[in-house]
Amino acid sequence: MKFQIYDLETSKLLAKGIFERIGIDHPTLTISCQGKKVEQSSIIANHHEAVQELMQTLLDRGIILDLLEIVGVGHRVAHGGTIFTKPTVVTELVEAKIEELAELAPLHNPINLLGIRAFKSYLPQALEVAVFDTAFHQTMEEAYYTYPIPYEYREKYGIRRYGFHGISHQYISDYVTEHYGLPEKMICAHLGNGSSICAMKNGLSYTTSMGFTPTAGLMMGTRCGDIDPMIVSFLEKHENFSGNQIDQVINQKSGLRGISGFSSDMRDIELAATQGNSRAELALDIFANRVIELVGSYISSLNGLDVLVFTAGIGEHSATIRKKVCQRLTFLGLDIDDKKNQDHAEEISSSNSKIKVLVIPTNEEWLIAQAVKEKLEQLPVLA
């Protein structure tokens, strides 16, 4: 559970942190505030207890003096379907719709909803706002979000491309526009444990790699991304897998973990590759190839490219992956400066590159906080 605390008036970041290993062995809370970063052990068993501990920690560390000071809480919600196209104040009806959409994001929406309900119980005075990962991609054209399966299934079950990481892609779009001007044709590569690529036209989502679920598209930490769909029925038949077992293979046992055999963390993979581990090397190459293939196809869809952005854990910190991708795009006149890339500079393209290449840390929490602030400002003022 990640969190950031902002001052409503100044937009100043007061604290940020993360609860890790919730409900398993040795859970921890890492919190940064007042210029210090502290990691403390915890005994939390679930997300509800994590929220309780967070509230107490904020009080103990003097970040707030009273829980009543917290006037709004924003929540990242993975799947909003076609129902939620913008940040939405949480009501009982909204909660019910998020729960309905859990069938489309079973690993995400139930946990998102649990967080919403936990914060409501501890902060009943605060305005709860849901910000949806799918909302940014509502600008995609029908020809990009419709799957070539019988059309009736789109209408009956809502089977279509939704796209995810929308909050991150929107943050990058806003950041680039503010600091470099609005690019006509931009590709954002959000590369992390979950990875997606978004092609944008004039700052809006044009097409994206994640689809009906967050499993589609790129190879990820434990998710396979795009594969031949007949592999599923083949494994069901020959391994006698149930639907749940297939889900586990595709979502939890594939990707970097499945190919390397030992880790889903790109840092572990890169280290092992330097030590001659052939499966780690293969995992690196497959990951980079998938990114290159999608970036290449999106350049074709956009009919050119002005800006390429790398973001998220791998995108921000892996100079190796960035170099592997960019080396295969030199035919476009794209050229990166090796030293800038190794130093993780914001702009890593060389002075003679025809395409600007940027490395920008994403900040979904900031965008969510701004959405909450906007909703609070829209509330009627009581006389």
Side-chain angles (χ1 to χ4, degrees):
M1 184 179 78
K2 292 198 295 184
F3 61 89
Q4 290 190 12
I5 317 293
Y6 286 92
D7 183 289
L8 180 65
E9 299 301 325
T10 64
S11 294
K12 179 183 177 182
L13 177 64
L14 302 178
K16 66 177 182 178
I18 184 171
F19 285 89
E20 297 181 278
R21 307 183 66 80
I22 293 174
I24 53 178
D25 59 310
H26 309 302
T28 59
L29 163 60
T30 303
I31 185 168
S32 299
C33 62
Q34 300 159 341
K36 297 180 180 179
K37 184 177 181 179
V38 179
E39 181 178 306
Q40 61 189 52
S41 297
S42 179
I43 55 172
I44 54 176
N46 53 52
H47 288 77
H48 206 284
E49 291 181 9
V51 173
Q52 182 180 25
E53 182 168 325
L54 173 59
M55 297 299 100
Q56 192 59 51
T57 301
L58 295 178
L59 292 168
D60 292 345
R61 296 190 174 277
I63 297 165
I64 57 173
L65 301 179
D66 192 300
L67 292 183
L68 292 175
E69 292 180 39
I70 300 178
V71 295
V73 183
H75 302 269
R76 176 189 177 191
V77 179
H79 215 309
T82 57
I83 302 170
F84 300 107
T85 60
K86 58 186 178 181
T88 304
V89 174
V90 177
T91 62
E92 288 187 8
L93 179 60
V94 170
E95 285 187 41
K97 292 295 183 183
I98 292 172
E99 197 159 24
E100 283 179 26
L101 290 164
E103 185 178 10
L104 303 182
L107 299 180
H108 298 82
N109 274 34
I111 298 296
N112 302 152
L113 194 57
L114 192 156
I116 288 171
R117 288 168 174 165
F119 274 95
K120 281 181 71 175
S121 69
Y122 289 108
L123 302 170
Q125 81 286 352
L127 185 73
E128 306 274 337
V129 179
V131 184
F132 296 88
D133 238 2
T134 48
F136 180 67
H137 301 298
Q138 293 299 309
T139 53
M140 284 191 294
E141 297 175 359
E142 187 177 24
Y144 280 106
Y145 68 68
T146 303
Y147 286 116
I149 60 174
Y151 191 83
E152 64 193 84
Y153 299 138
R154 187 185 117 185
E155 298 196 313
K156 187 176 182 180
Y157 299 112
I159 298 178
R160 50 157 284 178
R161 182 181 303 279
Y162 290 100
F164 299 88
H165 291 149
I167 304 170
S168 174
H169 290 305
Q170 183 180 344
Y171 175 82
I172 296 300
S173 176
D174 293 348
Y175 184 95
V176 172
T177 298
E178 180 181 351
H179 293 86
Y180 297 92
L182 177 63
E184 181 187 358
K185 302 166 183 177
M186 179 167 72
I187 291 175
C188 176
H190 177 113
L191 308 179
N193 189 53
S195 297
S196 71
I197 294 180
C198 181
M200 304 179 199
K201 274 193 175 181
N202 299 311
L204 302 178
S205 179
Y206 188 65
T207 188
T208 189
S209 58
M210 283 182 168
F212 178 59
T213 73
T215 304
L218 297 171
M219 173 187 187
M220 306 179 212
T222 62
R223 285 172 266 181
C224 61
D226 289 345
I227 59 172
D228 183 334
M230 293 309 294
I231 292 172
V232 172
S233 59
F234 182 91
L235 289 176
E236 283 178 332
K237 177 182 177 181
H238 290 274
E239 292 287 334
N240 196 29
F241 280 154
S242 66
N244 285 337
Q245 287 173 314
I246 285 289
D247 284 349
Q248 279 196 327
V249 169
I250 286 174
N251 285 300
Q252 299 173 25
K253 297 181 178 180
S254 296
L256 294 174
R257 180 182 295 281
I259 297 300
S260 72
F262 65 89
S263 179
S264 61
D265 192 312
M266 181 60 79
R267 292 166 294 189
D268 297 338
I269 305 294
E270 288 192 19
L271 178 61
T274 63
Q275 297 170 344
N277 185 308
S278 60
R279 283 179 59 178
E281 291 172 357
L282 179 61
L284 274 179
D285 288 340
I286 296 173
F287 186 93
N289 285 347
R290 290 297 186 94
V291 175
I292 291 160
E293 288 171 358
L294 269 173
V295 169
S297 69
Y298 286 177
I299 291 172
S300 177
S301 294
L302 292 170
N303 195 25
L305 185 63
D306 301 315
V307 179
L308 172 62
V309 182
F310 292 94
T311 192
I314 296 171
E316 294 167 26
H317 299 114
S318 177
T320 300
I321 291 297
R322 293 195 300 261
K323 185 172 183 178
K324 280 178 175 287
V325 172
C326 291
Q327 280 180 330
R328 300 272 287 277
L329 298 171
T330 55
F331 70 96
L332 294 168
L334 185 153
D335 183 57
I336 62 169
D337 183 304
D338 281 339
K339 185 177 186 307
K340 289 181 179 179
N341 185 42
Q342 289 296 327
D343 292 343
H344 308 292
E346 181 167 292
E347 184 172 350
I348 63 172
S349 44
S350 67
S351 57
N352 61 353
S353 179
K354 293 181 180 179
I355 297 170
K356 194 179 295 293
V357 184
L358 305 173
V359 180
I360 301 173
T362 192
N363 195 340
E364 295 158 296
E365 292 89 350
W366 165 256
L367 208 63
I368 293 169
Q370 293 307 299
V372 176
K373 183 177 180 180
E374 186 175 307
K375 290 297 182 185
L376 284 164
E377 290 171 347
Q378 292 171 0
L379 291 176
V381 178
L382 297 177

